[in-house]
Amino acid sequence: MAAPIAYAEHTAYALIATDLDGTLLRGDDTVSDRSLAALARISAAGARHLVVTGRPAPRVRPLLEDLGGAGLAVCGQGAQLYDVGAGRLLWSVTLDRELAETALGKIEAEVGQVYAAVDQDGIDGLTLIEPGYLMPHPTLPAVRVGRRDDLWCEPISKVLLRHPVLSDDELAAVARTVVGSLATVTMSGPGTVELQPCGITKATGLALAAGHLGLSPADTIAFGDMPNDIPMFDWAAHGVAMANAHSELKAVADEITLSNEDDGVAVVLERLLTEGPRPHPFGGRRDSVGVQAP
């Protein structure tokens, strides 16, 4: 474990955990100048910024370079802890491929054919997509395979699912009902229902990263937009949902900020710098640094 970080004079939280898609990133996969400036100011004041994303490490490296190219990042829905500066994984968990196939079969027995993709494990792992699967983020690279069996050729960190008719919420609900302990089911964005190793969530990776930094849940403010961010909000002292967030996340958030297109993360960070530290910092959940969620 690293030595604990000294709390800076002008920060209420020592760890700023942000999702990427729908949260820190705008729709064109860029971070605004205002958000970059706010992150730079909060870092100069002594806090650490930690990306906590569903994207696997190979798909997030260019973005991390834009954000400074150093420190840690939680990738793959919490299944990977990535050392950005060293370009290596400090920790990773794979999804058993036989369990993944079994879980997929159980889901299809209930809802008919689904289309699947996988993120391979490792720093150079590929995203493989079977025939019929459409990438929710067309800018992300993927390799199309000829048949589903080809998805299982190498160790994987997760499976991504799409259904031709059912909504994401409907597909995720069915998957949670039938998958059981074979995998953890989550929903991380439009067109993105996922199977990941059982028990692994964003909170898993966030807790591990915080431990490396000598920090705790009470030191942490988290930003997100989708149900896969709920475990992270449960873990952190304060959870901030974006205006564009899924209703399930808004329901458990401590605060709702502006949308990702309107620099919602930057708005909160700028306010925290103005407000300064809390009189009794790190006092637990719902300790109010802003507008409470309804």
Side-chain angles (χ1 to χ4, degrees):
M1 179 185 296
I5 296 172
Y7 299 116
E9 180 180 355
H10 300 296
T11 58
Y13 296 94
L15 185 60
I16 315 299
T18 66
D19 174 44
L20 285 179
D21 295 289
T23 301
L24 185 62
L25 294 181
R26 296 178 292 189
D28 61 358
D29 269 11
T30 62
V31 182
S32 73
D33 290 341
R34 182 178 179 182
S35 293
L36 288 172
L39 289 169
R41 288 179 61 201
I42 206 83
S43 295
R48 295 289 187 93
H49 174 223
L50 182 70
V51 166
V52 186
T53 178
R55 296 192 188 197
R59 304 287 85 81
V60 80
R61 277 183 290 183
L63 291 169
L64 295 174
E65 291 172 2
D66 292 341
L67 291 169
L72 302 177
V74 176
C75 303
Q77 303 292 12
Q80 298 174 328
L81 182 60
Y82 178 54
D83 184 327
V84 181
R88 66 188 181 94
L89 289 173
L90 301 181
W91 180 80
S92 67
V93 179
T94 58
L95 174 59
D96 184 279
R97 285 167 281 176
E98 289 188 5
L99 294 182
E101 282 192 278
T102 300
L104 195 51
K106 286 180 174 290
I107 294 169
E108 289 190 316
E110 293 293 323
V111 301
Q113 183 179 14
V114 299
Y115 299 112
V118 299
D119 285 334
Q120 292 180 330
D121 186 45
I123 196 61
D124 295 313
L126 301 172
T127 297
L128 304 182
I129 58 178
E130 72 174 352
Y133 186 90
L134 299 177
M135 287 291 290
H137 297 284
T139 60
L140 295 179
V143 176
R144 190 170 295 281
V145 297
R147 55 183 186 150
R148 178 170 292 178
D149 286 349
D150 296 330
L151 298 176
W152 321 119
C153 62
E154 298 288 344
I156 62 173
S157 59
K158 63 181 178 180
V159 178
L160 302 90
L161 305 176
R162 303 193 75 169
H163 192 275
V165 177
L166 295 180
S167 69
D168 298 333
D169 290 285
E170 291 169 333
L171 179 58
V174 172
R176 291 188 183 105
T177 300
V178 301
V179 164
S181 62
L182 295 174
T184 294
V185 179
T186 193
M187 182 168 47
S188 62
T192 313
V193 175
E194 301 182 2
L195 307 178
Q196 57 199 78
C198 186
I200 298 296
T201 68
K202 282 191 174 185
T204 309
L206 177 55
L208 186 62
H212 274 264
L213 297 172
L215 297 172
S216 72
D219 307 322
T220 307
I221 183 172
F223 296 80
D225 73 307
M226 290 298 292
N228 64 323
D229 295 313
I230 291 174
M232 181 167 69
F233 278 26
D234 288 341
W235 187 87
H238 196 80
V240 183
M242 314 304 290
N244 51 287
H246 192 283
S247 59
E248 290 182 15
L249 186 68
K250 287 182 175 179
V252 300
D254 298 296
E255 178 181 355
I256 298 173
T257 186
L258 300 181
S259 75
N260 61 318
E261 298 291 347
D262 294 321
D263 297 313
V265 172
V267 167
V268 174
L269 296 184
E270 290 164 358
R271 191 192 70 235
L272 292 179
L273 285 164
T274 301
E275 292 177 350
R278 291 163 286 172
H280 300 285
F282 323 132
R285 285 193 54 78
R286 305 187 185 277
D287 56 347
S288 184
V289 297
V291 179
Q292 295 298 310

